[in-house]
């Protein structure tokens, strides 16, 4: 990245890159959890749920892309091996072993709630230090808040059938 561009980052750049790589690990695991969840899901409103899960998978992948671009711009290296995803993740991975709509929604709601907490913390760390990364994280956090709401809304609809 440009010399001046790096200079304006008011925190240790190596530490920032590490935090972004941890978020990157989360995004890849979230991407796969949604993607494979959409394949195996069964139960009420399966079609609508599948569509939403696929959409969210795509959005998690877009977050991974944003994080990776910023890591590279900061002069860092994005995680290069999937085994690092497990080592670096904040939020972990929940395998959709129970393919019922309810179980999958619950797992992904939990994941979104974790992501919201992680990005909220990251914003606190970045405040007044790195406006570029701050702005990017704000945009990601907006999506995570929307994801949680989307899933909770479907869950309410499903519960209202019974
Ligand atoms: Fe995400
Ligand atoms: Fe999300
Ligand atoms: Mg959505």
């Amino acid at each position: 990245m440009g010399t001046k561009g790096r200079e304006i980052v008011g925190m240790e750049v190596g530490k920032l890159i590490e935090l972004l790589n941890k978020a990157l690990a989360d995004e890849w695991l979230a991407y796969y959890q949604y993607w494979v969840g959409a394949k195996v899901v069964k139960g009420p409103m399966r079609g609508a749920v599948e569509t939403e899960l696929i959409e969210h998978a795509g959005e998690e992948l877009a977050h991974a892309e944003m994080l990776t671009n910023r890591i590279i711009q900061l002069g860092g290296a994005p995680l290069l091996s999937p085994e690092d995803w497990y080592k670096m993740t904040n939020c972990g991975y929940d395998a959709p072993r129970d393919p019922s709509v309810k179980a999958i929604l619950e797992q992904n709601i939990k994941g979104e709630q974790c992501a919201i907490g992680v990005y909220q913390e990251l914003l606190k760390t970045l405040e007044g230090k790195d406006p570029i990364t701050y702005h990017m994280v704000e945009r990601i956090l907006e999506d995570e808040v929307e994801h949680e709401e989307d899933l909770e809304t479907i869950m309410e609809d499903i519960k209202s059938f019974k």
Side-chain angles (χ1 to χ4, degrees), residues 52 55-56 59 146-147 150:
E52 196 68 45
E55 193 183 296
H56 288 195
E59 286 163 355
E146 193 183 304
H147 289 171
D150 289 346

Side-chain angles (χ1 to χ4, degrees), residues 27 30 34 56 59-60 63 108 111-112 115 140 143-145 147-148:
E27 293 296 349
Y34 273 122
H56 288 195
E59 286 163 355
E60 308 306 2
H63 298 160
N108 287 306
E112 293 298 344
I140 296 177
D143 285 347
E144 310 305 11
V145 166
H147 289 171
E148 182 202 29

Side-chain angles (χ1 to χ4, degrees), residues 49-123:
V49 174
E50 194 183 318
T51 304
E52 196 68 45
L53 297 177
I54 291 169
E55 193 183 296
H56 288 195
E59 286 163 355
E60 308 306 2
L61 191 57
H63 298 160
E65 173 98 24
M66 290 158 77
L67 290 161
T68 299
N69 290 342
R70 184 61 180 151
I71 289 166
I72 290 170
Q73 194 175 50
L74 287 164
L79 299 180
L80 295 174
S81 171
E83 56 191 32
D84 295 330
W85 299 344
Y86 259 97
K87 288 183 200 144
M88 298 285 283
T89 180
N90 301 291
C91 295
Y93 178 79
D94 260 339
R97 293 205 170 84
D98 175 352
S100 71
V101 163
K102 194 171 162 284
I104 288 190
L105 287 175
E106 269 167 8
Q107 285 179 329
N108 287 306
I109 289 168
K110 199 179 110 216
E112 293 298 344
Q113 289 172 344
C114 181
I116 290 168
V118 167
Y119 287 119
Q120 170 61 15
E121 272 306 304
L122 198 49
L123 283 184

